[in-house]
Amino acid sequence: MKKDKILVIGACGQIGVELTLALRKMYGDANVIASDLREEHDLLKGTGPYVSLDVMNKEMLHVLVIRHNITQIYLLAAILSATGEKNPLLAWHINMASLLNVLDIAKEEGIDKVYWPSSIAVFGPNSPKEDTPQHTIIEPTTIYGISKFAGERWCEYYSHRYGVDVRSLRYPGLISYKSAPGGGTTDYAIEIFHEALEEKKYTCFLSEGTYLPMMYMPDAIRATIELMEADKDKVKIRSSYNLGGMSFSPKEIAAEIKKHIPEFTISYEPDYRQQIADGWPQSMDDNLARQDWGWKPEFNLENMTVDMLKNLKK
Ligand code: NAD
């Protein structure tokens, strides 16, 4: 039997750090190679192998895959929504070329499994806002959403045409305390905790009634690993699965934090990110993920808030 050898690309980002640590627990430290453009993240130091990699350099990636007998690739490197709007052509270039490099090497080398995340950003103003279905109008208006939607089509294409076992989730906004967020429109839901603890006040860049789908990082990591561990024939959607956790507005999360920090106050100064958020769903219908491979979230606004505050106070 072939031994699993995993390459995580973009391992020093908000998801990458926690996913790498979780995979190392499951597969053994030496069998999970972390890679990124950046310097090794402090939380990864001493936990397993690390290589410096620019995923845009296909040759280097190819050599790495062959040299280490890689059997699974998790591609997390990307330019996120808010950052992407500042430099659309760069975001398109990086988000597409990174995925195509990985899919093509996976095809050539017969990689067992590839993971690549999509996002709720694939949906646009014409998609239904509440309980947004898996299959519906998809007309993204941000370059990030456009690149994710195109990426989903490429994933399905490589799966159907070449048999590449690529799996994907449309993550909602992810909330975590271990590693910093990377320039997304939902980053406010992390900043608010830091500011509540340090300053007792927060100025939000979205308006008080902006509902967005969100998920606590432990749920996102578990969803990712459960999807990747599912039997191949259970993974019926080869573009990307809708994934739901919780849904709340800045006003609601502020009220939840106030239960624990009574003096906390919030004010609102919406900026360019408001327009991005206005085009996105408010909540997701993730029934197909539940049916096909048994997805069930554990965290809601209440228990996530308790856990975030407890861990940030440490
Ligand atoms: P992040 O920005 O925190 O991390 C991305 C990492 O990729 C960074 O460490 C960066 O240095 C690295 N990277 C960038 N360019 C690279 C390159 N050319 N070569 C190698 N590494 C490179 O992002 P994240 O929040 O961890 O997101 C990971 C994935 O999940 C992305 O595809 C993102 O679109 C998707 N996603 C994230 C969220 C969220 O809320 N965080 C929501 C939906 C989807």
Side-chain angles (χ1 to χ4, degrees), residues 9-10 12-16 36-38 53-56 76-78 80 117-119 144 148 171-174 180-182 186:
I9 303 169
C12 296
Q14 192 198 354
I15 301 170
D36 205 295
L37 263 186
R38 300 192 215 179
L53 171 77
D54 181 354
V55 66
M56 303 298 280
L76 304 170
L80 271 60
S118 182
S119 159
Y144 176 68
K148 287 295 184 189
Y171 288 136
L174 299 180
T186 52

XYZ file of all heavy atoms in Angstrom, residues 9-10 12-16 36-38 53-56 76-78 80 117-119 144 148 171-174 180-182 186, ligand 1:
265
model
N 0.009 23.648 0.692
C 0.539 24.859 0.055
C -0.237 26.062 0.595
O -1.464 26.088 0.524
C 0.386 24.786 -1.473
C 1.081 23.534 -2.023
C 0.948 26.045 -2.139
C 0.763 23.236 -3.489
N 0.492 27.038 1.146
C -0.168 28.161 1.828
C -0.385 27.805 3.290
O -1.373 28.210 3.905
N 1.024 28.728 5.981
C 1.203 29.726 7.043
C 0.031 30.707 7.132
O 0.095 31.691 7.860
C 2.503 30.489 6.824
S 3.919 29.402 6.960
N -1.035 30.439 6.413
C -2.192 31.326 6.432
C -3.169 30.972 7.544
O -2.918 30.085 8.369
N -4.314 31.678 7.530
C -5.302 31.505 8.598
C -5.766 30.049 8.713
O -5.864 29.509 9.811
C -6.523 32.414 8.331
C -7.448 32.503 9.532
C -8.841 33.006 9.178
O -9.115 33.407 8.053
N -9.724 32.989 10.149
N -6.042 29.414 7.591
C -6.488 28.014 7.630
C -5.295 27.067 7.672
O -5.300 26.064 8.385
C -7.341 27.686 6.388
C -8.554 28.614 6.326
C -7.784 26.230 6.395
C -9.320 28.543 5.023
N -4.265 27.405 6.895
C -3.145 26.485 6.708
C -2.488 26.032 7.994
O -2.171 24.847 8.158
N 5.018 27.424 2.007
C 4.444 28.776 1.853
C 5.515 29.681 1.261
O 6.706 29.346 1.265
C 4.003 29.321 3.226
C 2.893 30.363 3.121
O 3.137 31.448 2.552
O 1.782 30.103 3.605
N 5.037 30.827 0.774
C 5.967 31.881 0.334
C 6.631 32.516 1.546
O 7.769 32.933 1.508
C 5.160 33.004 -0.330
C 4.995 33.089 -1.823
C 4.271 34.391 -2.153
C 6.333 33.060 -2.541
N 5.802 32.648 2.623
C 6.263 33.344 3.825
C 7.211 32.477 4.634
O 7.309 31.275 4.422
C 5.090 33.591 4.772
C 3.982 34.388 4.273
C 3.117 34.729 5.484
N 1.709 34.749 5.130
C 0.748 35.006 5.992
N 1.026 35.213 7.251
N -0.506 35.022 5.606
N 8.082 27.656 -0.776
C 7.591 27.343 -2.120
C 6.721 28.461 -2.663
O 5.833 28.962 -1.968
C 6.755 26.045 -2.075
C 5.993 25.701 -3.368
C 6.937 25.121 -4.414
C 4.856 24.730 -3.107
N 6.986 28.843 -3.911
C 6.068 29.715 -4.635
C 5.273 28.814 -5.572
O 5.824 28.258 -6.518
C 6.859 30.767 -5.428
C 5.934 31.718 -6.182
O 4.700 31.491 -6.168
O 6.452 32.678 -6.768
N 3.977 28.678 -5.298
C 3.149 27.743 -6.075
C 3.046 28.171 -7.542
O 2.692 27.376 -8.412
C 1.750 27.596 -5.426
C 0.970 28.901 -5.512
C 0.948 26.463 -6.043
N 3.409 29.431 -7.826
C 3.379 29.901 -9.208
C 4.529 29.297 -10.020
O 4.503 29.312 -11.247
C 3.481 31.436 -9.244
C 2.399 32.124 -8.450
S 0.768 31.766 -9.088
C 0.714 32.894 -10.455
N -3.957 25.943 -0.432
C -4.634 27.019 0.309
C -4.146 28.403 -0.090
O -4.728 29.407 0.321
C -4.429 26.813 1.814
C -4.889 25.455 2.333
C -4.438 25.253 3.765
C -6.385 25.290 2.228
N -3.095 28.472 -0.881
C -2.559 29.782 -1.294
C -3.577 30.473 -2.192
O -4.120 29.860 -3.107
C -1.245 29.591 -2.044
N -3.863 31.729 -1.905
C -4.799 32.501 -2.727
C -4.718 33.963 -2.324
O -4.200 34.304 -1.262
C -6.231 31.994 -2.531
N -7.246 36.837 -1.253
C -8.615 36.842 -0.738
C -9.446 38.028 -1.237
O -8.938 38.888 -1.945
C -8.594 36.758 0.795
C -8.593 35.295 1.322
C -7.409 34.496 0.844
C -8.655 35.256 2.833
N -10.059 25.003 -1.639
C -11.287 25.627 -1.166
C -11.832 26.682 -2.106
O -11.087 27.486 -2.656
C -10.871 26.272 0.162
C -9.403 26.434 0.086
C -8.862 25.533 -0.985
N -13.154 26.662 -2.258
C -13.855 27.753 -2.903
C -14.457 28.612 -1.787
O -13.987 28.543 -0.637
C -14.925 27.202 -3.846
O -15.572 28.263 -4.511
N -15.466 29.392 -2.093
C -15.964 30.363 -1.122
C -17.418 30.725 -1.426
O -17.875 30.589 -2.570
C -15.080 31.612 -1.213
O -15.741 32.737 -0.697
N -12.353 37.973 -6.805
C -12.148 36.784 -5.972
C -13.225 35.739 -6.285
O -12.927 34.572 -6.537
C -12.211 37.216 -4.504
C -12.106 36.117 -3.489
C -10.925 35.399 -3.321
C -13.185 35.812 -2.653
C -10.835 34.412 -2.360
C -13.086 34.834 -1.685
C -11.918 34.131 -1.536
O -11.813 33.157 -0.579
N -12.889 32.094 -7.999
C -13.319 30.871 -7.307
C -14.305 30.083 -8.169
O -14.250 28.857 -8.228
C -13.959 31.218 -5.955
C -12.962 31.673 -4.893
C -12.003 30.562 -4.498
C -11.067 30.962 -3.382
N -9.996 29.989 -3.139
N -16.230 27.592 1.599
C -16.181 28.055 2.989
C -16.964 29.350 3.160
O -16.853 30.257 2.326
C -14.746 28.372 3.402
C -13.796 27.231 3.613
C -12.499 27.319 3.098
C -14.135 26.105 4.360
C -11.570 26.302 3.301
C -13.204 25.085 4.566
C -11.933 25.191 4.032
O -11.009 24.202 4.231
N -17.663 29.465 4.295
C -18.167 30.782 4.713
C -17.000 31.568 5.315
O -15.852 31.093 5.284
C -19.193 30.427 5.793
C -19.211 28.934 5.926
C -18.009 28.400 5.223
N -17.267 32.752 5.896
C -16.213 33.488 6.585
C -15.725 32.682 7.775
O -16.529 32.161 8.536
N -14.410 32.581 7.934
C -13.878 31.703 8.980
C -13.343 32.511 10.160
O -12.590 33.467 9.976
C -12.789 30.806 8.402
C -13.273 29.888 7.270
C -12.128 29.039 6.749
C -14.433 28.997 7.712
N -3.620 34.831 12.025
C -4.339 36.040 11.599
C -5.049 35.833 10.271
O -4.581 35.071 9.419
C -3.336 37.182 11.478
N -6.191 36.517 10.069
C -6.906 36.404 8.798
C -6.142 37.096 7.672
O -5.322 37.973 7.915
C -8.237 37.100 9.076
C -7.974 38.039 10.188
C -6.888 37.431 11.008
N -6.463 36.716 6.418
C -5.616 37.121 5.289
C -6.208 38.150 4.353
O -5.867 38.172 3.188
N -14.952 39.081 5.725
C -15.514 38.642 7.007
C -14.510 38.774 8.159
O -14.800 38.349 9.276
C -15.987 37.175 6.894
O -14.911 36.400 6.374
C -17.194 37.057 5.980
P -4.458 33.407 3.980
O -4.280 34.611 3.119
O -4.512 33.559 5.448
O -3.337 32.332 3.641
C -2.902 32.075 2.339
C -1.447 31.672 2.422
O -0.988 31.429 1.089
C -0.539 32.766 3.012
O 0.231 32.242 4.075
C 0.334 33.189 1.849
O 1.653 33.535 2.226
C 0.324 31.937 0.983
N 0.616 32.242 -0.422
C 0.169 33.296 -1.156
N 0.700 33.249 -2.379
C 1.490 32.144 -2.430
C 2.304 31.564 -3.431
N 2.425 32.131 -4.642
N 2.963 30.418 -3.151
C 2.855 29.845 -1.920
N 2.104 30.355 -0.926
C 1.439 31.495 -1.186
O -5.786 32.663 3.454
P -6.736 31.652 4.252
O -7.769 32.466 4.929
O -5.932 30.676 5.028
O -7.451 30.941 3.027
C -7.008 29.714 2.472
C -7.942 29.330 1.340
O -9.302 29.270 1.818
C -7.975 30.324 0.180
O -8.172 29.641 -1.028
C -9.192 31.160 0.473
O -9.715 31.726 -0.698
C -10.128 30.126 1.048
N -11.187 30.721 1.885
C -10.891 31.348 3.061
C -11.911 31.900 3.822
C -11.625 32.593 5.137
O -12.548 33.138 5.757
N -10.391 32.575 5.625
C -13.233 31.828 3.379
C -13.504 31.225 2.155
C -12.476 30.637 1.427
